Amino acid sequence: MQLTAPEENGPDAGGYVIAPDPKAPRLTRAVTGADQSGEATEIAVVEERPLTIFLNGQEIVTAMTIGDYPDYLAVGFLRNQGMLADGEEITGISYDEELETVVVRTASATTYEEKVKKKTRTSGCAVGTVFGDMMEGLAGVTLPQAELRTSWLYALSQRINTTPSLYLEAGAIHGTVLCKEDRPLVYMEDVGRHNAVDKIAGWMVLEGVSPDDKILYTTGRLTSEMVIKTALMGIPALASRSGFTAWGVEIAREVGLTLVGRLRGKRFVCLAGEDRLVRDADPGSVPDEAKKSGRKGGA
């Protein structure tokens, strides 16, 4: 069975390698109801399905997800939790849609019984899960001292926020985009931003993509979990149209991550890595974001 979405978007899909498909039939459903005037109305609502991830013979976690790209989600989750080491040989990935399970198999044996016991519920919407020693993985992280140009930020913000997406179709969803300079490459969405990040991490692992010159853009808050996952992926810059948490900022400063938030129109705030920010665009030449912009600041 094909694991990735049936219409793997090519580079001709508006420049994206993978872009959202807001019309995909399995991702939303039409639901009827009544509006404020009591009139019948029909809207698209996002689907939410359980997906249980196994590593070899061990059950690791059950995530609530929209159901696309289960292979990328599983591999990315395991990679970001430190359960797949760099260079680990993945010998197979199998997805059973009926049983709602995905199994990742590796050449070497794995045992994570103790790690699985130490779970932490995160602040992510749809309730994210990380494992208690995830912070320990940051000890040896050294991020590239890559520059981040303000012209790239402005171009990415405008492009991403006008890209057709499930959010604009149905709402109730988060997006995360892997970018290089001013070009968005892979745009993933899910009910939790942690899932969207894990899908991108899985794509990078399976496609052998280097993180050194990449930027991660998210529609959600810049929380400790988002910062940790970005750092563990080796990506040197993280940007969002939403705000920060104090712990997220502290961790970003410790690991050398450039952190930019509240990116809307010409405005943004950089709270970590400001020395790597190259101000090559005049904010006065950037139009303000329209008040009726299709995308709001994510929670």
Side-chain angles (χ1 to χ4, degrees):
M1 177 178 184
Q2 184 171 351
L3 293 180
T4 51
E7 72 169 293
E8 189 75 49
N9 299 300
D12 59 339
Y16 286 94
V17 179
I18 299 176
D21 179 13
K23 301 300 183 182
R26 290 189 70 253
L27 304 185
T28 63
R29 76 171 73 168
V31 177
T32 58
D35 66 13
Q36 67 280 352
S37 301
E39 298 292 326
T41 186
E42 182 179 272
I43 64 169
V45 297
V46 173
E47 292 280 10
E48 190 176 16
R49 299 179 174 89
L51 179 70
T52 300
I53 299 172
F54 285 80
L55 177 57
N56 296 314
Q58 184 178 357
E59 179 179 336
I60 302 298
V61 74
T62 296
M64 298 306 297
T65 174
I66 59 175
D68 65 344
Y69 303 104
D71 50 345
Y72 293 154
L73 175 56
V75 170
F77 178 85
L78 295 171
R79 169 66 177 78
N80 283 338
Q81 300 297 334
M83 296 182 181
L84 285 178
D86 290 338
E88 180 77 59
E89 181 183 354
I90 297 173
T91 58
I93 305 172
S94 56
Y95 169 58
D96 190 310
E97 183 176 345
E98 185 175 343
L99 295 178
E100 298 174 321
T101 61
V102 59
V103 181
V104 178
R105 296 181 177 85
T106 60
S108 57
T110 53
T111 54
Y112 287 106
E113 288 83 359
E114 288 303 314
K115 189 181 183 79
V116 169
K117 289 178 183 177
K118 297 191 291 183
K119 292 183 181 179
T120 302
R121 290 165 70 106
T122 74
S123 61
C125 59
V127 187
T129 300
V130 299
F131 294 90
D133 56 357
M134 191 175 174
M135 279 286 293
E136 296 173 8
L138 292 177
V141 169
T142 301
L143 296 176
Q145 298 297 297
E147 70 176 22
L148 178 61
R149 294 181 173 270
T150 58
S151 60
W152 300 345
L153 290 174
Y154 291 138
L156 290 172
S157 178
Q158 194 280 333
R159 176 72 186 286
I160 291 168
N161 291 311
T162 56
T163 295
S165 62
L166 279 172
Y167 177 87
L168 296 180
E169 177 77 12
I173 201 164
H174 281 287
T176 301
V177 189
L178 182 69
C179 312
K180 180 177 179 179
E181 298 180 349
D182 61 352
R183 304 191 306 278
L185 303 175
V186 174
Y187 189 153
M188 295 292 190
E189 293 183 288
D190 215 302
V191 287
R193 58 190 169 282
H194 40 83
N195 285 350
V197 175
D198 287 340
K199 288 177 188 176
I200 286 178
W203 179 81
M204 293 176 69
V205 169
L206 293 175
E207 300 298 327
V209 174
S210 170
D212 292 356
D213 56 352
K214 303 301 188 296
I215 303 163
L216 200 65
Y217 178 99
T218 177
T219 61
R221 297 186 305 270
L222 296 171
T223 64
S224 57
E225 180 193 16
M226 290 297 296
V227 169
I228 291 170
K229 287 195 173 190
T230 304
L232 291 176
M233 291 162 68
I235 296 174
L238 174 62
S240 173
R241 62 182 288 104
S242 191
F244 312 81
T245 68
W247 195 21
V249 173
E250 288 179 19
I251 296 171
R253 290 176 174 177
E254 289 176 7
V255 300
L257 177 74
T258 302
L259 193 65
V260 173
R262 299 183 181 178
L263 175 58
R264 304 183 192 182
K266 67 180 67 177
R267 297 174 175 81
F268 67 82
V269 179
C270 180
L271 292 187
E274 199 270 341
D275 58 308
R276 294 182 291 281
L277 195 64
V278 179
R279 300 181 185 275
D280 65 334
D282 177 9
S285 67
V286 180
D288 279 323
E289 190 174 276
K291 291 183 179 180
K292 293 185 178 180
S293 172
R295 185 178 285 280
K296 299 180 175 62

